[in-house]
């Protein structure tokens, strides 16, 4: 029986997904597709992954009840503290799993793309741990606004290649990473950081991030006697943190799921990344999904103050959740996100990543009863975004 969580054998979540790839990559993608489920369920792999997640990443991450924030919102809000993972974001969960998988496939070289830099840092970290060469593609715009993470990648031994094409953001970095993969298919594994790309990547990344919702269920049961919240909230660019937070609740229909996109300067301002509102079906980076495009099918440049949400599409799992009304898709503007982050800082003493701030921004307008139990996935810490936050402070 197909569930919301898992695609069919060809990688489709309903009508979204699949593998639309150049012929030169077919052997690599097929090698991954034929082996990933056997590797992910192998006892030795699971034992090694579990040890790294607990001893290196720092799992389980806390499920923190934010009482002062709850008093403001009117809900009982729990924060899943993925910002406390090693490297400061949920991205490390997937990177650790994929580096172990790459070693089992005999790969010697790793490539990755990154927007906010969190996936790039996670990939550089696990490559150092495994002793593998690491190349990270990053848009020149994102390099300028995420300088701390660029420095961290370089310190960890990664080669960071700036991408100047297009809007010089995540979409363009992904294009260049795919070109590299085509040119070096034999010895290279591409660690995709979100639930995007050709099958099996969306399923692979979702399974590796599912540790988030698995822990939420167990922690809620311990804290409240019930493993099920009323709602789960997460931001969505490509959608990896949302996929992980939703995964073990997707078939629990009593749990409402809220995915929050970046509205940029306003959904219809021409500077937005609200894909489910502005997009329509098409192919991007190897899968059929929802993406922002013009009347000729050319991809529309997205915009968000958050580099991690500055992407013109969403993963096929999320496209399916949207059109099937399993998840409610909301959006928050740049300014709403910054204001919501400031509220969290001043009520709970936590500086969130700008990506997470978009999820925080919708808490006051969720269609829930007062007192509802809400889990929000705090996907990353905000050190990298200090300049954006500091720019909002009044001049003294």
């Amino acid at each position: 029986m197909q569930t919301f969580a898992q695609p069919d054998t060809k990688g489709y979540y309903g009508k979204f997904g699949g593998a639309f790839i150049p012929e030169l990559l077919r052997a690599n993608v097929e090698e991954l597709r034929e082996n990933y489920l056997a590797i992910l369920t192998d006892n030795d792999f699971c034992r090694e992954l579990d040890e790294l997640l607990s001893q290196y990443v720092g799992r389980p991450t806390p499920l923190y009840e934010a009482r002062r924030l709850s008093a403001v919102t009117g809900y009982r809000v729990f924060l899943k503290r993925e910002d406390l993972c090693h490297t400061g974001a949920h991205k490390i969960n997937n990177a650790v799993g994929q580096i172990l998988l790459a070693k089992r496939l005999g790969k010697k070289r790793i490539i990755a793309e990154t927007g906010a830099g969190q996936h790039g840092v996670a990939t550089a970290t696990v490559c150092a741990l495994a002793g593998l060469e690491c190349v990270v593609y990053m848009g020149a715009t994102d390099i300028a606004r995420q300088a701390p993470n660029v420095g961290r990648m370089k310190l960890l031994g990664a080669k960071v290649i700036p991408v100047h094409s297009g809007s010089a953001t995540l979409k363009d970095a992904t294009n260049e990473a795919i070109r590299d993969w085509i040119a070096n298919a034999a010895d290279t594994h591409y660690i995709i950081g979100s639930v995007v790309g050709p099958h099996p990547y969306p399923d692979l990344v979702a399974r590796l991030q599912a540790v988030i919702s698995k822990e939420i269920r167990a922690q809620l049961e311990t804290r409240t006697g019930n493993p099920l919240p009323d709602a789960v909230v997460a931001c969505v660019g490509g959608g990896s943190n949302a996929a992980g937070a939703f995964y073990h609740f997707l078939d629990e229909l009593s749990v409402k799921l809220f995915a929050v996109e970046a509205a940029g300067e306003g959904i219809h301002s021409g500077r937005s990344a609200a894909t489910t509102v502005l997009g329509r079906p098409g192919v991007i980076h190897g899968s059929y999904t929802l993406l922002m495009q013009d009347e000729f099918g050319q991809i529309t440049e997205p915009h968000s103050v958050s580099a991690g949400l500055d992407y013109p599409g969403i993963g096929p799992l999320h496209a399916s959740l949207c059109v099937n009304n399993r998840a409610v898709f909301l959006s928050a503007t740049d300014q709403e996100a910054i204001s919501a982050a400031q509220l969290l800082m001043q009520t709970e003493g936590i500086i969130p990543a700008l990506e997470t701030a978009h999820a925080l921004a919708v808490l006051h307008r969720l269609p829930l009863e007062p007192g509802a139990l809400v889990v929000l996935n705090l996907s990353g810490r905000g050190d990298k975004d200090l300049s954006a936050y500091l720019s909002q402070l009044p001049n003294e």
Side-chain angles (χ1 to χ4, degrees), residues 18-21 29 32 178 181 192 196-202 284-287:
F20 297 82
I21 51 176
V29 173
L32 187 60
I178 290 173
W181 202 19
I192 292 181
V196 300
H199 178 64
Y201 276 105
I284 183 172
H285 297 144
S287 69

Side-chain angles (χ1 to χ4, degrees), residues 78-146:
F78 285 83
L79 303 176
K80 183 57 173 168
R81 297 292 308 275
E82 293 299 291
D83 58 315
L84 297 181
C85 288
H86 178 45
T87 73
H90 71 290
K91 294 291 188 181
I92 192 73
N93 304 322
N94 168 58
V96 163
Q98 284 207 48
I99 202 71
L100 296 180
L101 185 149
K103 289 177 67 175
R104 277 164 172 74
L105 293 176
K107 304 299 181 182
K108 306 297 184 186
R109 178 175 180 267
I110 300 297
I111 60 170
E113 87 301 325
T114 194
Q118 290 168 319
H119 173 57
V121 170
T123 302
T125 298
V126 298
C127 284
L129 181 68
L132 296 181
E133 179 185 358
C134 180
V135 176
V136 179
Y137 290 88
M138 190 170 188
T141 299
D142 292 337
I143 286 176
R145 58 182 171 175
Q146 299 292 345

Side-chain angles (χ1 to χ4, degrees), residues 45-98:
F45 176 91
C46 292
R47 192 177 304 111
E48 190 173 4
L49 177 61
D50 288 346
E51 182 176 351
L52 281 173
L53 288 176
S54 65
Q55 302 302 315
Y56 189 71
V57 174
R59 304 205 70 88
T61 56
L63 185 68
Y64 167 71
E65 184 168 4
R67 290 187 170 84
R68 294 194 68 213
L69 182 65
S70 297
V72 174
T73 64
Y75 307 123
R76 188 180 181 188
V77 179
F78 285 83
L79 303 176
K80 183 57 173 168
R81 297 292 308 275
E82 293 299 291
D83 58 315
L84 297 181
C85 288
H86 178 45
T87 73
H90 71 290
K91 294 291 188 181
I92 192 73
N93 304 322
N94 168 58
V96 163
Q98 284 207 48

Side-chain angles (χ1 to χ4, degrees), residues 35-46 207:
N35 290 285
Y36 83 107
L37 288 177
I39 292 173
L40 291 184
T41 55
D42 175 77
N43 288 337
D44 289 339
F45 176 91
C46 292
R207 287 172 183 266

Side-chain angles (χ1 to χ4, degrees), residues 64 66-74 77 79 335-352 357 359-365 376 378 389 392-393:
Y64 167 71
R67 290 187 170 84
R68 294 194 68 213
L69 182 65
S70 297
V72 174
T73 64
V77 179
L79 303 176
Q335 191 54 56
E336 287 174 329
I338 289 173
S339 297
Q342 291 171 330
L343 175 63
L344 185 70
M345 297 174 203
Q346 293 162 10
T347 56
E348 300 291 348
I350 297 171
I351 302 175
L360 292 162
V362 306
L363 276 178
H364 67 286
R365 50 185 163 99
L376 186 145
L378 199 71
Y389 292 139
Q392 302 299 310
L393 292 178

